[in-house]
Amino acid sequence: MVENDERWNSTANIFFDLWSPLLDHEKDLISRSIDVQNYNKNDIIYKIGETPINIMYILDGRVKISRDTDDGRPKIIRIFCDGQFFAYRAFFAGEDYTTDCVAIESSRIVTFPTNVIARLIDGNKNIMRFFYKELAKGLGMSDYRVASLAQKHLRGRLAETLIFLSNSFGTDSDGWIHGKTTRSDIANLANMTTSNAIRTIAAFRKEGIIETEGKKIRIVKPERLQFISGKE
């Protein structure tokens, strides 16, 4: 029990640090309200049309946010990983979810009841500014990717997507992008077919721009990839 209490306190401390300074009653409210949920790969976290009851934070793992296109195929909107909040836009907009959310891999997710977040925001401007900043960054990223992908050819779109994945997830000490992203998810993010994504990845590998090991990818020539992203 002591070990579990220590782990719980450690989890709560993440948010104490993020939103510092906090008053004692705010820390107590956070500690009493958060919960940790475990999800396996491909588990549904929420679906379109559901009403937000929690804002969520990823302790470890990855999730994808998607929406069906006119032809019925899911389109990935964003991918979130360790240390990121998600599932908050609909709550702040006063809407039901307009996207689906699925775990890409086994994930541990902290849930905050939306009524608790509302109380914290009402009483602490630091927390309000934090979420306003998160919303603004997400909007900026979405606007950039929509405009950028619309004007690029296949190689440029794939190059930008690999850079996006590297920046979003980081790399290990050997340069491999953290996690294993399927070729279909990469294709979805790059707005191309899976077969085109596979061919373009193979071409990049042949040119010595990247290396692959199963689903893992390592960028060997980032300057070259950046050039392709900007010029092709």
Side-chain angles (χ1 to χ4, degrees), residues 18-22 121 123-131:
L18 274 179
W19 297 330
S20 177
L22 291 170
I121 288 174
N124 190 314
K125 290 183 179 179
N126 288 334
I127 301 176
M128 178 181 66
R129 291 192 188 101
F130 174 87
F131 280 108

Side-chain angles (χ1 to χ4, degrees), residues 15 28 42 70 125 160 222:
F15 310 107
D28 181 61
N42 296 326
D70 291 340
K125 290 183 179 179
E160 180 180 310

Side-chain angles (χ1 to χ4, degrees), residues 74 168 222:
S168 297

Side-chain angles (χ1 to χ4, degrees), residues 53 60 88 91 122:
I53 59 173
D60 49 68
Y88 52 82
F91 165 65
D122 285 344

Side-chain angles (χ1 to χ4, degrees), residues 136-176:
K137 287 193 298 185
L139 179 60
M141 182 185 298
S142 296
D143 286 350
Y144 171 79
R145 282 184 57 76
V146 168
S148 183
L149 292 177
Q151 61 189 6
K152 292 182 179 179
H153 296 296
L154 292 180
R155 284 170 60 88
R157 297 207 299 269
L158 198 285
E160 180 180 310
T161 297
L162 294 180
I163 293 168
F164 167 75
L165 290 173
S166 180
N167 290 339
S168 297
F169 303 145
T171 58
D172 63 20
S173 58
D174 294 321
W176 295 98

